[in-house]
Amino acid sequence: MDNVVLQHDRSTGASAATRAGLAAEEARLLALEAEYCSHGDTVHYTQFPKIFSGCEGSFMLDAAGNRFLDLQMWYSAVNFGYANPRLNAALKRQIDTLPQVASQYLHREKIELAAMIAKDAEAKFGAKGRVHFNVGGAQAVEDSLKIVRNASNGKSLMFAFEGGYHGRTLGASAITSSYRYRRRFGHFGERAQFIPFPYHFRGPKGMSKEEYGEHCVAQFARLFESEYNGVWDPKLGQAEYAAFYVEPLQGTGGYVIPPPNFFQGLKKVLDDHGILLVVDEIQMGFYRTGRLWSIEHFGVQPDVIVFGKAVTNGLNPLSGVWAKEALINPTVFPAGSTHSTFNANPLGTAVALEAMKMMAEEQYEPMVMAKGAYFLEGLRDLQRRHRIVGDVDGLGMALRMEICEAHDSYTPAKRLVDLMCDEGMKADLEVAGRRYGLVLDIGGYHKNVITLAPALTMSYAEIDLAIALLDQLLARVAAA
């Protein structure tokens, strides 16, 4: 392990009294949290929530000085590393110039950022469009729903994928497949129709990945064969559904990667029946997969792109929608169609503009693809040596490791994934004489997948460290 990694882990040498004081302070904070904080904002996924006090590069720090290698980077919001100096500096400059302005007025950062994104999309997809901003991913999904409903004369039904995730606001929950996100909030009459995603590892046996992708497209196309299949009126040539919401790689669904030919087949069915393609890039955008937009890997033209998270490296909430001109021009989508007080806030747009410039100046595509291939080969080695690793896959730095029962390397083993996450928080994993913690995230249809979204800026030495720490965790939980 080289010095780049070793310098990330310096022992604090804290005395017993200091450690006791830190433990008492943490207990005080957790007691206050238990009494006064809502548990509805997804904090309590682990039995003992961790309190962090600092961050740097690929690492989170606690008050005791323990360093935790973060392999999920705030759900892929911090693609460019914690405390990125260039992006932090952009935020500080904006605070000292124009930190606030009402959204009824204009500022340079919003205009230049929108133009940069729209010009990039036009160059890549051959369609002129415009950009509309908001603050969170789910809010941008809500805005996109307004755009497509407006463009389809009020059609409110959508297609989406099994395993898909688009947020937890009411509208976004209706196109997110998990019933548990809707269960407590009444009936959703405009819930999406969910279509199988080509999840090859758990698909029919005997089919190649490409064959299974073609099979899934054919099953979807079958819905339009006859009026009696319920979505298509052949006499009018009109579908009941306005749009299909897709994640090119499923995020919360477990970083499932489709075959390369899948979306081309799907897009043809949509185009043939006048259905818009809305691409959710909130988790996979901004070079997570080695391209600015993950849909670029699949050779199709989206009608709408929804983005967020890493556009500001997690520094200030900002999200947005790019849509084709015909869907979003001021004649069809005028002022006031949707609004948020903070939607194009100058702090967020300033950091995002700097991030876009940084991505344009640096060679992220070859860098991310090379690092991702290196990381994936390490995961494949772990799969060869640990029977509880049933499947690994990756595209760029979006990687997955599916944890299964050892007897068949296939039966989902959620209990082992939960244990891995809890054990990673103990900060007692040792590599080259140094102790580390490991921050992991869980996804997948059976909640048995470790979804890996490390910093795109992480070094090869840090990738080696990640593989070594995962190796220890896998051995520990398999023995348990």
Side-chain angles (χ1 to χ4, degrees):
M1 197 64 57
D2 67 20
N3 290 333
V4 174
V5 170
L6 295 186
Q7 70 184 6
H8 276 295
D9 186 80
R10 300 190 180 98
S11 173
T12 60
S15 67
T18 299
R19 291 195 298 272
L22 292 172
E25 174 62 7
E26 183 167 294
R28 183 187 73 84
L29 290 172
L30 289 175
L32 288 172
E33 191 270 345
E35 185 171 359
Y36 296 112
C37 291
S38 166
H39 289 192
D41 52 7
T42 70
V43 174
H44 287 260
Y45 278 167
T46 57
Q47 184 177 1
F48 304 105
K50 183 68 182 176
I51 298 176
F52 287 112
S53 59
C55 57
E56 174 191 8
S58 293
F59 291 84
M60 297 294 298
L61 296 81
D62 66 13
N66 295 309
R67 303 187 77 90
F68 296 76
L69 182 61
D70 193 340
L71 296 184
Q72 59 101 356
M73 298 304 287
W74 202 0
Y75 320 120
S76 192
V78 192
N79 286 4
F80 310 107
Y82 289 115
N84 182 289
R86 178 170 175 175
L87 300 181
N88 280 13
L91 183 64
K92 293 170 185 175
R93 285 196 304 271
Q94 194 67 28
I95 286 176
D96 290 335
T97 54
L98 182 68
Q100 294 138 323
V101 64
S103 56
Q104 72 189 87
Y105 306 113
L106 295 174
H107 54 283
R108 179 185 65 84
E109 294 75 20
K110 170 190 174 177
I111 297 168
E112 291 191 351
L113 176 61
M116 197 169 189
I117 293 171
K119 288 179 180 179
D120 177 87
E122 184 171 1
K124 289 173 177 173
F125 304 122
K128 186 181 185 305
R130 296 171 186 259
V131 175
H132 174 100
F133 292 112
N134 211 312
V135 289
Q139 288 85 352
V141 168
E142 296 281 346
D143 289 344
S144 74
L145 285 166
K146 283 189 171 183
I147 290 169
V148 299
R149 287 176 67 152
N150 181 63
S152 61
N153 297 314
K155 288 181 184 176
S156 58
L157 295 180
M158 310 292 159
F159 289 112
F161 280 122
E162 294 175 3
Y165 180 86
H166 302 286
R168 302 192 201 184
T169 54
L170 285 175
S173 293
I175 58 173
T176 292
S177 64
S178 298
Y179 173 51
R180 69 187 180 94
Y181 298 139
R182 299 185 301 274
R183 179 181 58 81
R184 293 181 303 277
F185 308 114
H187 179 62
F188 284 64
E190 294 173 341
R191 186 169 66 91
Q193 179 162 336
F194 296 105
I195 305 299
F197 193 84
Y199 183 2
H200 185 246
F201 180 64
R202 298 204 173 276
K205 301 307 173 187
M207 288 188 184
S208 70
K209 194 170 187 179
E210 288 72 17
E211 288 170 339
Y212 185 40
E214 291 172 357
H215 170 77
C216 289
V217 171
Q219 288 298 104
F220 176 60
R222 182 178 172 275
L223 295 177
F224 302 90
E225 287 180 354
S226 162
E227 66 177 281
Y228 298 103
N229 291 347
V231 304
W232 175 247
D233 182 346
K235 292 181 179 180
L236 291 179
Q238 188 174 113
E240 189 176 11
Y241 288 73
F244 200 137
Y245 275 74
V246 310
E247 296 167 282
L249 278 67
Q250 292 201 317
T252 302
Y255 282 28
V256 182
I257 302 169
N261 60 336
F262 172 70
F263 278 110
Q264 290 181 10
L266 182 73
K267 185 63 161 61
K268 184 179 186 308
V269 178
L270 298 179
D271 288 346
D272 287 347
H273 298 93
I275 299 170
L276 299 174
L277 177 66
V278 182
V279 176
D280 183 336
E281 293 277 1
I282 293 166
Q283 190 162 162
M284 292 298 163
F286 306 105
Y287 287 98
R288 170 55 56 198
T289 67
R291 301 279 181 90
L292 182 69
W293 308 119
S294 61
I295 195 65
E296 292 179 56
H297 290 282
F298 302 104
V300 297
Q301 182 192 85
D303 297 295
V304 179
I305 297 173
V306 184
F307 59 87
K309 287 189 185 290
V311 69
T312 64
N313 205 42
L315 283 174
N316 203 77
L318 188 75
S319 63
V321 180
W322 171 87
K324 289 181 176 178
E325 178 75 5
L327 307 176
I328 200 174
N329 72 75
T331 301
V332 299
F333 203 70
S337 294
T338 182
H339 178 74
S340 168
T341 301
F342 305 103
N343 57 3
N345 65 88
L347 295 179
T349 51
V351 177
L353 181 61
E354 190 68 24
M356 289 294 294
K357 290 177 179 177
M358 182 179 74
M359 286 181 266
E361 293 165 6
E362 300 183 22
Q363 296 297 310
Y364 273 91
E365 182 174 341
M367 178 188 75
V368 172
M369 296 306 288
K371 287 181 181 179
Y374 184 81
F375 206 136
L376 181 58
E377 185 50 46
L379 295 178
R380 287 175 175 150
D381 181 60
L382 294 178
Q383 183 183 19
R384 287 188 286 267
R385 294 189 291 106
H386 296 275
R387 287 190 55 79
I388 64 171
V389 180
D391 182 56
V392 299
D393 203 355
L395 183 61
M397 291 285 266
L399 302 143
R400 74 188 311 269
M401 181 167 63
E402 184 151 350
I403 305 302
C404 303
E405 298 292 349
H407 72 274
D408 64 357
S409 301
Y410 185 77
T411 301
K414 180 181 184 299
R415 63 185 182 86
L416 296 179
V417 173
D418 290 342
L419 185 57
M420 286 179 69
C421 290
D422 289 341
E423 290 295 314
M425 286 292 102
K426 291 182 178 179
D428 64 351
L429 301 167
E430 189 167 310
V431 174
R434 307 281 177 164
R435 300 182 76 179
Y436 298 92
L438 196 58
V439 178
L440 301 173
D441 195 36
I442 299 173
Y445 291 33
H446 305 280
K447 293 293 177 271
N448 70 313
V449 179
I450 299 293
T451 55
L452 302 166
L456 308 184
T457 54
M458 80 184 309
S459 67
Y460 283 91
E462 289 169 344
I463 296 174
D464 290 338
L465 174 63
I467 296 298
L469 294 173
L470 287 168
D471 190 21
Q472 288 188 41
L473 266 187
L474 290 166
R476 183 183 294 187
V477 302

